[in-house]
Amino acid sequence: MTGQNPIENPIFFPSVPTGFQIVFVRTVIPTVNGTCVTVNTQALIVEQCTPTTLTVSLHADYEGTGCTSSSSPVGGAVVTVVAGNVAYYGMSGPDGTVSFFNLPTGPVTIMATEVPAGLVLLGEGTYTTVLDPTQNTNYQVDFCYTPVASVNDVQVSLYPLGNARPGFPAYYAIILSNVGNVTSSGTVTVQFDSTRLSFLSADQTTIAQTADTLTFSYTDLAPWQNSYIWVTFLVAPPPTANIGDALQFTATVTPNQPDNNLGNNSTSFAQPVVNSFDPNDIAVLEGPVISQEQADDWLHYIVRFENTGTPKR
């Protein structure tokens, strides 16, 4: 672009037909040898807006009395909605719900496409209905699960909440996720680079602490729920911590009962030390390369951006 984007001027596009359209993007890049101009195409899907909302609720019946709105919510479950030849995907939040907006009028199929570990669907796993905003604009579908066996599976994640800068505090989140179907209690430890980091504080009291290890306890973490621990370290000033140094972290969760999936009980990452920086970036916590064994697992991204203007964005 050369400073103007015609899409910002809707008067030039009064009646774009629905369906797949092609947008041509012209990029002008100054180089030492002159100006480089490229034209790329981007597929654009144009759809008419609708007022229709579909909310899917997922609960688990651990008491054997049937699912109700007060039953244990199932978070992190994938739901697929198919309308015509277009599929929409969503993941339930901690409250066990996921909402789909602006769905087209007509028949849709709703499916719980990923059954959580240790749970099985009660009743139908697929629902079909017809969305008609002249009759209803808010549709509700409920899925109910029941445990097939006791599965103890707690997952730990560790995320930096900002950059690590010499002489400044650095903030981190420890996330415990109960992806099994039984309530869990236990401990979580965090190992850190004590040569470049000093522990400042946490929102939970440690039950044990050494020069490079923090240990916390967690109690009664319900199935498909998360628990958070917020930790603050102080990054040492130069020459102890310098730009480009890597701060090594390892978090390990140890449930009181034997865990059925040891593969997600530990996580490690190396955070680079930076100084003055551009906050607009994206990073993959698993690193620039993953192994073949990791190919079917999730990748965890950190996206940072800054609004340099004056209005809210």
Side-chain angles (χ1 to χ4, degrees), residues 144-163:
C144 182
Y145 297 91
T146 186
V148 293
S150 295
V151 176
N152 191 46
D153 187 4
V154 181
Q155 172 182 293
V156 64
S157 304
L158 177 61
Y159 295 99
L161 301 179
N163 287 292

Side-chain angles (χ1 to χ4, degrees), residues 115-188:
V115 178
L119 296 177
V120 63
L121 275 168
L122 283 177
E124 297 293 331
T126 300
Y127 289 90
T128 300
T129 188
V130 177
L131 304 181
D132 184 356
T134 65
Q135 302 295 323
N136 186 15
T137 57
N138 294 289
Y139 289 82
Q140 174 79 35
V141 171
D142 300 301
F143 288 102
C144 182
Y145 297 91
T146 186
V148 293
S150 295
V151 176
N152 191 46
D153 187 4
V154 181
Q155 172 182 293
V156 64
S157 304
L158 177 61
Y159 295 99
L161 301 179
N163 287 292
R165 303 174 62 191
F168 288 87
Y171 307 93
Y172 302 85
I174 307 166
I175 305 175
L176 299 175
S177 303
N178 187 347
V179 294
N181 60 18
V182 294
T183 300
S184 178
S185 300
T187 61
V188 57

Side-chain angles (χ1 to χ4, degrees), residues 21-252:
Q21 308 296 325
I22 299 296
V23 176
F24 295 89
V25 181
R26 180 173 180 264
T27 306
V28 180
I29 304 175
T31 69
V32 294
N33 297 320
T35 301
C36 175
V37 179
T38 61
V39 177
N40 300 301
T41 60
Q42 178 66 52
L44 178 68
I45 301 177
V46 180
E47 296 179 337
Q48 294 293 332
C49 294
T50 71
T52 305
T53 299
L54 170 67
T55 301
V56 180
S57 298
L58 305 101
H59 293 88
D61 176 23
Y62 292 105
E63 294 78 23
T65 57
C67 286
T68 66
S69 59
S70 60
S71 298
S72 298
V74 177
V78 177
V79 176
T80 302
V81 177
V82 179
N85 60 354
V86 179
Y88 304 84
Y89 299 91
M91 179 176 288
S92 59
D95 63 349
T97 67
V98 55
S99 295
F100 299 86
F101 303 94
N102 195 38
L103 292 172
T105 300
V108 296
T109 300
I110 306 104
M111 298 172 288
T113 47
E114 286 192 15
V115 178
L119 296 177
V120 63
L121 275 168
L122 283 177
E124 297 293 331
T126 300
Y127 289 90
T128 300
T129 188
V130 177
L131 304 181
D132 184 356
T134 65
Q135 302 295 323
N136 186 15
T137 57
N138 294 289
Y139 289 82
Q140 174 79 35
V141 171
D142 300 301
F143 288 102
C144 182
Y145 297 91
T146 186
V148 293
S150 295
V151 176
N152 191 46
D153 187 4
V154 181
Q155 172 182 293
V156 64
S157 304
L158 177 61
Y159 295 99
L161 301 179
N163 287 292
R165 303 174 62 191
F168 288 87
Y171 307 93
Y172 302 85
I174 307 166
I175 305 175
L176 299 175
S177 303
N178 187 347
V179 294
N181 60 18
V182 294
T183 300
S184 178
S185 300
T187 61
V188 57
T189 62
V190 178
Q191 292 180 298
F192 59 94
D193 184 350
S194 59
T195 62
R196 299 182 177 91
L197 292 170
S198 299
F199 171 62
L200 290 182
S201 64
D203 70 329
Q204 295 188 26
T205 303
T206 60
I207 62 171
Q209 181 177 340
T210 65
D212 63 353
T213 304
L214 306 174
T215 303
F216 303 89
S217 65
Y218 69 95
T219 304
D220 296 334
L221 182 61
W224 297 98
Q225 298 300 298
N226 298 324
S227 177
Y228 302 87
I229 303 173
W230 313 101
V231 184
T232 303
F233 295 96
L234 178 65
V235 183
T240 304
N242 301 288
I243 296 176
D245 288 347
L247 305 177
Q248 302 287 340
F249 294 88
T250 298
T252 303

